[in-house]
Amino acid sequence: MARRILGKTLATVSLSVALTSVTVTCSVCSSIPECRNSFSSCGFHLTSNIMSGSNGAKEKSHKKARTSPYPASKVQRTKVPNEKVGWLVEWKDYNPVEYTSVSVLAGPMWADPQLSESNFSPKFNEKDGQVDRRSQNGLYEIENGRPRNPVGRTGLVGRGLLGRWGPNHAADPIITRWKKDRSGNKITHPISGKNILQFVAIKRKDCGEWALPGGMVDPGEKISATLKREFGEEALNSLQKSSAEKRKLEEQLHKLFSQEHLVIYKGYVDDPRNTDNAWMETEAVNYHDETGEIMDNLTLEAGDDAGKVKWVDITDKLKLYASHSQFIKLVAKKRDAHWSEDPETDCHGL
């Protein structure tokens, strides 16, 4: 399971106005040594406009990717001031620290070899065999044989705790339904007058906080398959089911994940594990069970790295990882559901 947990957390459905600055705290830190494969309780920052940082000293740039010490280590990054993040800003004396964790250098199946190895010639910006080395934000540059972080300098070269050179892809499923009374009627919020939407949340064993289920995209795996697999493993405990139970579960999951969906966010994640040569990207997708019939036939059961799982009413009072709250807010907006009792902070004003 280690190779599958490299990220818990998040393209846009014409939502460029939304994620201009979203802070993330994530989920799977202690389940793997050195937090190597998780969006952990270290914190992240997302932004739909963050890619502008590669063109010079722009208004938006990554911040968490410049923090020290580097996660699960005592390594201090070379300090990178805001005005020198962009690669087009000249900095002749830039001398970043080199660091790749021993857990990555050990050569686990979820990690690339070192670029110096003679039998390793990755095809960057391409589908490289089973490994997708394309970025969701477009082409990235290669300098001295190494991929270059599209947002800018981080003060550290190598891969740190990340397995892949270049982009490391994750996915987060957001499963929703309408809250209903015993008669099957949608429940409307008494103040906002909008129907209440619910989503499946898991409680992380490591952090003890509620979050979205999710994980890393395996080599050769489509994002849609990752979303379905991670939801099954974490929210339905599919790994512990019998063969017969798995077949029945797969039928229901196919109904849910084969319908129309909304891509809430897709792109670069400002993760504290990012380096000049390796970075996190994620995609958050909403699958909505309009009638509730599909999910009525599925029993939520925490599995994998989830301690608990339950349906949660969507509201601005939710205490989730910051980015996850923002994703949920965007879903409420797109579904025209209740978000806030205060009309001035209602998500529909985004």
Side-chain angles (χ1 to χ4, degrees), residues 131-175:
V131 179
D132 193 349
R133 302 189 187 279
R134 297 169 296 183
S135 170
Q136 294 167 323
N137 292 96
L139 297 178
Y140 51 89
E141 296 183 12
I142 310 300
E143 184 178 64
N144 298 322
R146 292 185 173 191
R148 196 167 71 171
N149 189 310
V151 174
R153 300 180 176 96
T154 68
L156 189 135
V157 295
R159 281 176 290 164
L161 291 167
L162 298 179
R164 305 294 179 192
W165 294 97
N168 290 256
H169 298 290
D172 291 295
I174 306 172
I175 310 303

Side-chain angles (χ1 to χ4, degrees), residues 10-12 16 19 45-55 125 132-141 148-152 166-169 265-270 274 279-283:
L10 319 207
T12 315
S16 59
L19 291 169
H45 184 85
L46 302 182
T47 166
S48 59
N49 297 324
I50 201 168
M51 302 310 297
S52 63
S54 61
N55 297 322
N125 284 306
D132 193 349
R133 302 189 187 279
R134 297 169 296 183
S135 170
Q136 294 167 323
N137 292 96
L139 297 178
Y140 51 89
E141 296 183 12
R148 196 167 71 171
N149 189 310
V151 174
N168 290 256
H169 298 290
Y265 178 84
K266 180 169 65 176
Y268 182 88
V269 179
D270 184 8
N274 289 354
W279 58 91
M280 283 300 309
E281 297 189 10
T282 195
E283 184 168 334

Side-chain angles (χ1 to χ4, degrees), residues 173-234:
I174 306 172
I175 310 303
T176 57
R177 71 178 184 185
W178 296 111
K179 186 175 185 179
K180 297 181 179 180
D181 59 24
R182 293 182 178 180
S183 299
N185 300 311
K186 294 179 182 178
I187 297 177
T188 300
H189 193 276
I191 296 180
S192 69
K194 293 185 177 295
N195 294 329
I196 298 175
L197 197 63
Q198 297 181 313
F199 77 102
V200 176
I202 59 170
K203 188 174 185 180
R204 307 308 311 173
K205 289 180 180 178
D206 51 0
C207 306
E209 296 184 71
W210 291 92
L212 296 170
M216 285 309 290
V217 180
D218 285 343
E221 187 176 44
K222 294 182 178 180
I223 291 289
S224 57
T226 305
L227 292 162
K228 182 167 68 172
R229 172 174 57 76
E230 288 294 333
F231 181 73
E233 291 176 358
E234 297 191 345

Side-chain angles (χ1 to χ4, degrees), residues 237-249:
N237 197 23
S238 62
L239 294 176
Q240 302 301 318
K241 302 296 184 183
S242 66
S243 297
E245 289 173 326
K246 287 181 178 179
R247 285 194 295 271
K248 185 176 180 181
L249 190 62

